[in-house]
Amino acid sequence: AQKITQTQPGMFVQEKEAVTLDCTYDTSDPSYGLFWYKQPSSGEMIFLIYQGSYDQQNATEGRYSLNFQKARKSANLVISASQLGDSAMYFCAMRPSSYKLIFGSGTRLLVRP
Amino acid sequence: GAVVSQHPSWVICKSGTSVKIECRSLDFQATTMFWYRQFPKQSLMLMATSNEGSKATYEQGVEKDKFLINHASLTLSTLTVTSAHPEDSSFYICSATLGVYGYTFGSGTRLTVV
């Protein structure tokens, strides 16, 4: 079965500190992609970062990095130097071979000033 | 970049009426469009996959007669919620695949049925 699991319904982080959002996945596809999206209260889905299953190095995009541990089937998102504008819902998603994007349940992040 | 324009952003309709939501790819051809539904504080659940020129494929448990999806051209996919009821109130969002380059999402439609 294809599944994405996010075990943290909500997280708090102090402004300027780093935070890790957890994501584990399950798939039998040899080739897949992992995404992180940010969804503010407006509802739009904002792409943050992508990791391919065959990528040797962890993906980084500015303040976002993805801690990819293939053997453990985890793809945690690390946000460095949190900003107030980072407060939002964060979704981990997986693209299996069918290309139907599967989403986790999400983590609500609140950045404290 | 590849942009999907989704309209309307929000709509209020009376119970029993039908509502059409449009997703247009502005600067690329979207051969495949995915339609998602999201209840408050929940995840995005895939409703159906539409491919240009063919019938949509619905996920298990989604009523195809209630949620009519049409993908008549490479730039337009529509979702029609027929005979809407209050339980159909939700956030609906479309997404086009860009192949290996990922996905692009519409801005979403908040539907409220009264």
Side-chain angles (χ1 to χ4, degrees):
Chain A
Q2 321 258 12
K3 192 176 180 182
I4 290 278
T5 302
Q6 294 180 254
T7 58
Q8 306 155 313
M11 289 278 286
F12 289 97
V13 65
Q14 205 66 32
E15 192 179 8
K16 300 180 184 177
E17 292 187 350
V19 63
T20 298
L21 305 185
D22 295 342
C23 173
T24 58
Y25 61 92
D26 189 19
T27 181
S28 55
D29 290 345
S31 177
Y32 51 90
L34 297 158
F35 298 78
W36 276 93
Y37 290 92
K38 173 184 178 181
Q39 187 181 44
S41 57
S42 59
E44 60 187 307
M45 297 295 286
I46 301 170
F47 166 76
L48 296 178
I49 197 165
Y50 168 78
Q51 180 85 40
S53 58
Y54 292 119
D55 293 343
Q56 296 294 315
Q57 292 189 326
N58 287 342
T60 59
E61 290 282 353
R63 294 187 298 112
Y64 305 107
S65 60
L66 198 152
N67 184 0
F68 181 46
Q69 298 188 42
K70 194 170 183 178
R72 299 174 105 179
K73 293 191 174 179
S74 73
N76 298 339
L77 175 70
V78 180
I79 305 175
S80 63
S82 296
Q83 301 172 356
L84 296 178
D86 293 335
S87 294
M89 197 75 175
Y90 289 80
F91 289 100
C92 180
M94 177 174 66
R95 180 194 66 208
S97 57
S98 69
Y99 276 72
K100 293 182 181 180
L101 202 58
I102 302 166
F103 287 88
S105 54
T107 296
R108 182 166 297 280
L109 178 68
L110 185 60
V111 181
R112 291 170 166 156
Chain B
V3 175
V4 171
S5 176
Q6 183 170 348
H7 292 281
S9 298
W10 59 270
V11 57
I12 301 173
C13 72
K14 290 186 176 180
S15 187
T17 62
S18 295
V19 173
K20 180 184 282 188
I21 301 169
E22 292 188 351
C23 279
R24 292 183 182 272
S25 56
L26 298 185
D27 48 4
F28 70 103
Q29 294 181 331
T31 54
T32 301
M33 195 78 79
F34 300 101
W35 286 92
Y36 292 88
R37 180 176 184 176
Q38 185 181 29
F39 289 109
K41 300 184 180 179
Q42 293 190 22
S43 186
L44 282 73
M45 299 302 296
L46 181 64
M47 298 174 66
T49 304
S50 74
N51 292 293
E52 184 268 335
S54 61
K55 288 186 178 180
T57 304
Y58 291 82
E59 296 299 304
Q60 193 172 9
V62 177
E63 299 176 62
K64 55 184 69 175
D65 293 333
K66 162 158 288 285
F67 300 101
L68 299 178
I69 292 173
N70 185 281
H71 197 152
S73 77
L74 287 170
T75 59
L76 177 64
S77 178
T78 61
L79 166 66
T80 301
V81 183
T82 63
S83 187
H85 291 284
E87 56 265 30
D88 299 323
S89 298
S90 189
F91 185 69
Y92 295 87
I93 191 166
C94 61
S95 172
T97 175
L98 303 174
V100 296
Y101 299 105
Y103 301 81
T104 183
F105 287 82
S107 53
T109 298
R110 295 193 187 279
L111 170 63
T112 302
V113 185
V114 298

